[in-house]
Amino acid sequence: MDSLAKDFADGTLSAPKTPCLSLYQPTHRSHPDNEQDPIRFQNLVKELEASLAKDHSGADTKALLEPLFKLAQDHDFWQHTADGLAVLSAPGLFRTYLLQRTVPKLAIVAGSFHLKPLLRALQSADDYHVLAFSRDSAVLFRGNRYAIDEVPLADGVPTTSSDVPGANKRNEEHEGAIRTSGGGVSVHYSRTSKSTVVDNDAEKFMRALDKAVLDHHSKPSKLPLILAALPENDSMFRKLSHNPAVLAQGIGMNAETMPLDKLREQAWKVMEPHYLAKLAGHVDSFGASKGKGQAEEDLASIAKAAVQGKIGTLLVEAERRVPGRIDGGTGAIANGDLTNPEIDDMLDDLAELVMKNGGEVVVVPAERMPTQTGAAAIHRY
């Protein structure tokens, strides 16, 4: 499966050749709920085909749609989906992403990809990591209020203490010599006790784990990290950790083999106060900045500021779509119809412009948005 985080970081989705096909669909994890998912997918592909036919030749549309038709027939794929599916297709590019949250059904042909649902998957305020670990093993999960799944640890992140050089290497210096006494064999711990050696091995593992998770997961994702471990292991890890993403409260139990739904419930109890505080902070910041003339809610004004690189933070409403176009040079906007292959979602385009210029985009549920326009922008200065 394609890596959403890597594709965003590499800019793979930022300047595709046109036309760009974006398909989103809610999916199901298990039988019998997932039986109709391939049929619904084929219906969305037909919508893309009809939209393409308005402005493109049969040969062009065939090449773009071929991988989607092939995916529709992939029985194994449809047996291992998650809560949402995103499929992007453009000349020379085809990407498939399984999402941990449901998405509205969408089939859009435009001059760029429709990315807002993917931005939410990457940057939603309720996403988190859970590091479940013991003294000699670890598992990483990514979740939100609705779902949680194990994620593969990046190369270089130790999954067991045996991955750490020097750990589990109890030699003569630590354990002393093996000596015979009266025909028997005994071990004399002349320098370091056996329990101390075990503790040292655990410390080496946790130090290596902390640094690797920080470098390979916390820094790239910028997600808060919830620790899930027995209290004594949690305490040892915190004393050694240099990861600022670690939340003060953890899950005080060994969660490596905990049922996923229980782990999600425990993680959300920890995460919810931080989620609400983060959203409230953005809303308060918008209100304060607006009072100083440093914030915008009018889409036309936001578009001009986005093109000029003036926006530091953009809040966009999660399920809202505003059909139209934004002139990439002037920021001028024009309303339109999403059935037109040249028309996209202006909120989506605003998010791309802000990210392109180094700003932060936060996708916010409708009930917590501070504006009625679908967007709220805070200027850098």
Side-chain angles (χ1 to χ4, degrees), residues 12-203:
T12 302
L13 308 178
S14 60
K17 297 179 181 178
T18 59
C20 299
L21 280 59
S22 305
L23 185 154
Y24 292 90
Q25 174 187 346
T27 52
H28 304 83
R29 292 174 179 257
S30 58
H31 182 84
D33 295 332
N34 62 4
E35 283 186 339
Q36 298 300 312
D37 287 347
I39 297 172
R40 297 187 181 102
F41 179 79
Q42 291 181 60
N43 291 335
L44 289 171
V45 174
K46 290 178 181 177
E47 290 184 29
L48 292 174
E49 187 175 27
S51 184
L52 274 170
K54 294 180 180 179
D55 291 297
H56 299 276
S57 68
D60 293 336
T61 61
K62 182 178 180 181
L64 283 170
L65 294 170
E66 184 175 359
L68 286 93
F69 286 127
K70 184 177 180 181
L71 185 64
Q73 303 302 319
D74 187 339
H75 177 76
D76 185 64
F77 172 83
W78 293 104
Q79 297 305 308
H80 300 90
T81 53
D83 304 294
L85 171 66
V87 180
L88 306 178
S89 182
L93 179 66
F94 183 74
R95 289 290 188 272
T96 304
Y97 307 105
L98 298 182
L99 307 175
Q100 283 185 305
R101 63 178 75 236
T102 189
V103 291
K105 291 191 295 181
L106 290 174
I108 299 174
V109 178
S112 61
F113 288 128
H114 181 78
L115 299 178
K116 186 148 61 76
L118 295 182
L119 291 177
R120 188 178 190 189
L122 279 177
Q123 298 183 281
S124 183
D126 66 345
D127 281 11
Y128 56 81
H129 276 142
V130 173
L131 182 63
F133 65 95
S134 64
R135 290 189 163 212
D136 58 8
S137 63
V139 183
L140 186 67
F141 299 88
R142 178 168 179 151
N144 52 54
R145 76 177 82 183
Y146 306 109
I148 190 169
D149 294 290
E150 183 178 346
V151 296
L153 286 164
D155 292 341
V157 181
T159 57
T160 66
S161 58
S162 61
D163 296 332
V164 180
N168 291 321
K169 306 289 184 183
R170 299 176 193 168
N171 53 29
E172 185 174 322
E173 178 181 351
H174 287 128
E175 294 192 40
I178 298 177
R179 302 172 184 170
T180 59
S181 175
V185 177
S186 62
V187 179
H188 298 270
Y189 295 91
S190 58
R191 299 189 185 183
T192 308
S193 70
K194 189 172 184 179
S195 62
T196 301
V197 173
V198 173
D199 287 344
N200 287 342
D201 281 351
E203 285 192 11

Side-chain angles (χ1 to χ4, degrees), residues 214 218-219 222-226 241-248:
L214 171 61
S218 294
K219 283 183 178 178
K222 299 177 182 168
L223 293 179
L225 180 65
I226 300 170
S241 178
H242 295 283
N243 190 340
V246 174
L247 296 184

Side-chain angles (χ1 to χ4, degrees), residues 326-371:
I326 299 175
D327 187 300
T330 66
I333 68 172
N335 294 326
D337 183 348
L338 281 177
T339 61
N340 184 335
E342 300 301 321
I343 297 298
D344 198 359
D345 173 15
M346 284 195 288
L347 298 181
D348 190 72
D349 291 342
L350 285 175
E352 288 186 62
L353 283 170
V354 171
M355 291 181 64
K356 182 180 178 180
N357 289 317
E360 179 186 15
V361 176
V362 181
V363 182
V364 180
E367 65 272 16
R368 298 195 179 274
M369 275 295 294
T371 70

Side-chain angles (χ1 to χ4, degrees), residues 296-349:
E296 305 279 0
E297 61 179 282
D298 175 69
L299 294 186
S301 300
I302 294 175
K304 290 180 181 178
V307 168
Q308 296 168 4
K310 291 182 178 180
I311 297 178
T313 302
L314 177 70
L315 311 183
V316 290
E317 190 173 320
E319 308 299 342
R320 182 83 167 268
R321 285 184 291 158
V322 181
R325 299 179 64 181
I326 299 175
D327 187 300
T330 66
I333 68 172
N335 294 326
D337 183 348
L338 281 177
T339 61
N340 184 335
E342 300 301 321
I343 297 298
D344 198 359
D345 173 15
M346 284 195 288
L347 298 181
D348 190 72
D349 291 342

